[in-house]
Amino acid sequence: MIVLTIIARVADGLPLAASVEEDEQSGRDLQQYQSQAKQLCRKLNAQSPDRCTLEAGDMSFHFLIAQGVCYLSLCEASFPKKMVFAYLEDLHNEFYDQYGKKVPTVTRPYSFIEFDTYIQKTKKIYVDTRARRNLGSINTELQDVQRIMVANIEEVLQRGEALSALDTKASNLSTLSKKYRSDAKYLNTRSTYAKVAAVAVVFITLIIYVRFWWL
């Protein structure tokens, strides 16, 4: 279930549009999550990852950044990640078409609050079980959800860790992983050469021994 969606300008965290689904069945207090979402939007910058998931207990924040705008949603942790990012991509395409040129100039919060109508309509499509089955063949780069960065919301907000730092850590881990694979390949090659050399030495020694023995 998608319970919260916020669209904000990355440059200053200004909220542009929002939609909240009251979660009366679970009795979950969304005010805390709304506060975390706003804090998160204010922490974003040009170096922030363009896609990220932040775990928050039994809930998860997911955001997509495109053309200087952040599209953020709060969902149950069990909600398919592929669906969430496809939903955010859908919002981005429509929002950019309608308001893309106006985003840099607005100064009032929630200047495009009327976009809530489209958010609600799109949300129903992605939340509906039958519709989700029909969306299984979405042709988008968001298919590869395993490569989307995952962090913890408390670490980002309470410890003040910048999302750009998380992106740097992910890049460093990727670099170290590539270096490890390169070193492993080099060591395997050296090991193979050493084995071949040992066999060659034994073979040549055997030939020399046989020649001198028979001569």
Side-chain angles (χ1 to χ4, degrees), residues 101-169:
K101 295 181 180 179
K102 300 178 181 178
V103 168
T105 60
V106 297
T107 57
R108 180 172 53 88
Y110 303 105
S111 294
F112 312 117
I113 193 64
E114 68 275 9
F115 192 68
D116 174 58
T117 302
Y118 184 83
I119 295 176
Q120 293 288 351
K121 181 179 68 175
T122 307
K123 187 190 304 180
K124 289 180 181 178
I125 295 174
Y126 285 88
V127 170
D128 181 78
T129 304
R130 289 172 297 179
R132 281 162 55 185
R133 285 199 296 266
N134 295 332
L135 290 167
S137 59
I138 297 172
N139 183 20
T140 170
E141 62 184 21
L142 300 178
Q143 293 279 5
D144 193 4
V145 295
Q146 299 300 325
R147 300 176 66 179
I148 295 173
M149 187 188 307
V150 178
N152 184 278
I153 188 67
E154 297 296 336
E155 292 179 356
V156 173
L157 297 182
Q158 291 189 5
R159 298 181 188 178
E161 187 170 16
L163 286 168
S164 55
L166 292 176
D167 200 24
T168 300
K169 289 179 181 179

Side-chain angles (χ1 to χ4, degrees), residues 12-26:
D12 54 6
L14 181 73
L16 304 172
S19 179
V20 180
E21 185 76 27
E22 293 298 333
D23 196 2
E24 298 177 354
Q25 293 182 348
S26 67

Side-chain angles (χ1 to χ4, degrees), residues 43-208:
K43 290 180 67 67
L44 298 174
N45 55 50
Q47 285 72 47
S48 298
D50 57 0
R51 296 176 183 84
C52 185
T53 292
L54 298 172
E55 298 171 341
D58 60 346
M59 305 292 286
S60 292
F61 287 98
H62 308 274
F63 72 75
L64 163 70
I65 295 178
Q67 274 82 36
V69 177
C70 173
Y71 303 84
L72 182 146
S73 69
L74 174 70
C75 311
E76 295 172 338
S78 59
F79 194 80
K81 190 183 293 186
K82 184 172 77 171
M83 290 293 113
V84 178
F85 283 97
Y87 162 72
L88 296 176
E89 181 74 19
D90 197 328
L91 294 186
H92 157 62
N93 291 334
E94 183 65 22
F95 186 84
Y96 187 74
D97 285 344
Q98 290 191 32
Y99 310 109
K101 295 181 180 179
K102 300 178 181 178
V103 168
T105 60
V106 297
T107 57
R108 180 172 53 88
Y110 303 105
S111 294
F112 312 117
I113 193 64
E114 68 275 9
F115 192 68
D116 174 58
T117 302
Y118 184 83
I119 295 176
Q120 293 288 351
K121 181 179 68 175
T122 307
K123 187 190 304 180
K124 289 180 181 178
I125 295 174
Y126 285 88
V127 170
D128 181 78
T129 304
R130 289 172 297 179
R132 281 162 55 185
R133 285 199 296 266
N134 295 332
L135 290 167
S137 59
I138 297 172
N139 183 20
T140 170
E141 62 184 21
L142 300 178
Q143 293 279 5
D144 193 4
V145 295
Q146 299 300 325
R147 300 176 66 179
I148 295 173
M149 187 188 307
V150 178
N152 184 278
I153 188 67
E154 297 296 336
E155 292 179 356
V156 173
L157 297 182
Q158 291 189 5
R159 298 181 188 178
E161 187 170 16
L163 286 168
S164 55
L166 292 176
D167 200 24
T168 300
K169 289 179 181 179
S171 300
N172 290 341
L173 286 174
S174 177
T175 301
L176 288 173
S177 177
K178 291 179 181 178
K179 184 177 184 301
Y180 171 79
R181 289 196 296 268
S182 177
D183 290 346
K185 184 177 180 180
Y186 172 71
L187 291 174
N188 287 336
T189 302
R190 285 194 58 182
S191 177
T192 301
Y193 286 157
K195 291 177 181 178
V196 172
V199 172
V201 169
V202 171
F203 184 70
I204 292 172
T205 302
L206 181 61
I207 291 176
I208 294 174

